[in-house]
Amino acid sequence: METYLLLFLLFLVGLAVLFNLPQKILNYYRVCKAVKDLPGLPTHWIWGNMHQIKMTQEFFEFMYEWRNKNNNQIAKYWVGPFDVSIAIFNPSYLNKQLLKYPKAENVYGVLEPWLGPGVLIANGERWFRSRRLLTPAFHFDILKPYVYVYNECTDVLLRKWQALADKGQPVNVHETVTQLTLDIILQCACSYKSGCQEQINKDPYVDAVDKLSNLSIERFMSVLLQINNFFYFNFTPHGWKYGKALKIVHRHSEKVIRERKEALKVDRGKTSRSIQTTRKYLDFLDVLLTTQDDEGHGLTDL
């Protein structure tokens, strides 16, 4: 009997560590009090609303009708038994006080192994420093040449659509526009021409990015996968797939950054505008690698 009791206690301790239960339980009552008056769909005691939320046209149509029927401008969705997300349908609710709140760890934490603790993930002083260093990248003189990239990539998309239309075949707008977006981002961010819009077989890097996007959504939508990263990456098939794709993406990113740093050594001492005069356009990565704060420190590679 004592052995079974000990095993049961070890099982409970394992669950607590796996799902970070002590912290979640401490936050649960505070969260419940804060959102108790907000409208929302009926919840399950374990799954919350996760069993109801689906990335389908039917679900979004249902939510649209539910919102209009009840005239709701804000709604809550429980992500499992402890975490809650707030959906806001009226921009006037997004006041300055709300925007000061830290980013939700259960949402952005899923992306950190992929994107790192950069401007998208970070809070506080780290976010402010990164955002300040990124400001030069959005100067009009740097953004203006990107229009040529947008046009070239869009021409590829239109040729694909025209070819399908000539054959009387349907167009998967979501997939082709997603490929267009990725093509533009890769060319503008790091001058990487993947050819992802025209390839029959996906480029390994593009394929890995696509997998990471889908796996991240699946992890966020699954209560059972919202465990700490050590157990997720080492003991779940989902985590193994994520880790494999992550290695491909990081390896490619490190290679591009390393090669660009070598190229920029030739331009050492020049400003961003003077470097741009020798090229068709200055890509986003150039700005990130050359920007520095008042103390002469730049951004980390990954």
Side-chain angles (χ1 to χ4, degrees):
M1 183 68 180
E2 293 181 356
T3 303
Y4 289 117
L5 180 60
L6 179 60
L7 289 174
F8 180 69
L9 290 174
L10 289 174
F11 173 74
L12 292 180
V13 171
L15 282 180
V17 173
L18 193 64
F19 291 96
N20 193 23
L21 291 182
Q23 184 63 44
K24 289 182 180 293
I25 292 173
L26 287 174
N27 291 335
Y28 176 72
Y29 294 101
R30 177 178 58 83
V31 170
C32 282
K33 184 178 179 180
V35 304
K36 64 183 178 67
D37 295 326
L38 295 181
L41 297 173
T43 61
H44 186 274
W45 69 281
I46 292 181
W47 309 119
N49 294 117
M50 288 295 93
H51 65 298
Q52 299 166 312
I53 299 175
K54 301 183 186 303
M55 296 298 175
T56 62
Q57 181 70 21
E58 291 76 14
F59 173 75
F60 289 110
E61 289 176 354
F62 165 75
M63 287 305 302
Y64 181 77
E65 292 175 1
W66 175 81
R67 180 176 72 88
N68 289 339
K69 180 180 178 181
N70 297 280
N71 195 29
N72 292 324
Q73 304 300 316
I74 189 170
K76 63 185 176 185
Y77 302 96
W78 284 93
V79 184
F82 299 112
D83 298 316
V84 65
S85 293
I86 306 299
I88 296 175
F89 308 113
N90 190 328
S92 64
Y93 281 71
L94 289 170
N95 56 42
K96 293 182 179 180
Q97 186 63 34
L98 180 61
L99 294 175
K100 289 180 180 178
Y101 290 170
K103 296 169 184 174
E105 184 179 350
N106 66 311
V107 178
Y108 289 91
V110 170
L111 300 174
E112 186 167 351
W114 176 11
L115 303 177
V119 68
L120 178 65
I121 309 295
N123 285 297
E125 182 59 32
R126 183 174 189 135
W127 174 88
F128 182 74
R129 176 182 179 272
S130 298
R131 182 65 186 87
R132 188 171 64 246
L133 289 174
L134 285 174
T135 300
F138 297 96
H139 191 281
F140 180 75
D141 289 343
I142 292 176
L143 296 178
K144 186 177 179 181
Y146 291 165
V147 174
Y148 299 107
V149 179
Y150 304 158
N151 290 340
E152 290 175 358
C153 293
T154 304
D155 286 341
V156 176
L157 174 70
L158 294 177
R159 285 198 298 270
K160 286 179 61 177
W161 282 359
Q162 187 62 57
L164 292 171
D166 291 342
K167 297 177 183 177
Q169 297 179 359
V171 175
N172 186 329
V173 176
H174 176 267
E175 181 179 340
T176 52
V177 172
T178 299
Q179 291 171 346
L180 167 68
T181 305
L182 183 58
D183 196 13
I184 291 173
I185 290 174
L186 291 175
Q187 290 197 47
C188 292
C190 53
S191 297
Y192 179 63
K193 294 188 177 182
S194 64
C196 60
Q197 294 194 79
E198 300 176 289
Q199 291 178 350
I200 298 177
N201 297 318
K202 283 186 179 180
D203 177 273
Y205 174 75
V206 174
D207 185 48
V209 169
D210 190 37
K211 287 179 179 177
L212 287 177
S213 300
N214 293 329
L215 291 170
S216 296
I217 294 173
E218 289 173 7
R219 187 183 181 190
F220 173 70
M221 299 292 288
S222 171
V223 176
L224 298 178
L225 292 176
Q226 294 193 23
I227 55 181
N228 69 56
N229 284 336
F230 176 80
F231 288 97
Y232 173 71
F233 285 113
N234 289 285
F235 298 103
T236 68
H238 198 275
W240 299 337
K241 293 178 184 177
Y242 194 102
K244 184 178 179 180
L246 197 62
K247 287 180 181 179
I248 295 173
V249 169
H250 282 179
R251 208 162 36 228
H252 178 271
S253 300
E254 290 166 354
K255 178 176 178 291
V256 170
I257 291 171
R258 186 170 57 251
E259 291 176 350
R260 186 56 55 84
K261 279 186 171 181
E262 291 297 322
L264 286 175
K265 287 180 181 179
V266 179
D267 299 312
R268 183 171 293 172
K270 297 181 181 179
T271 64
S272 294
R273 291 190 181 186
S274 64
I275 295 173
Q276 186 177 358
T277 58
T278 63
R279 304 189 194 171
K280 188 175 181 180
Y281 61 88
L282 184 70
D283 63 38
F284 195 71
L285 182 58
D286 292 325
V287 179
L288 298 184
L289 293 177
T290 55
T291 189
Q292 294 181 339
D293 58 22
D294 295 336
E295 298 177 357
H297 302 300
L299 297 167
T300 58
D301 288 353
L302 291 177

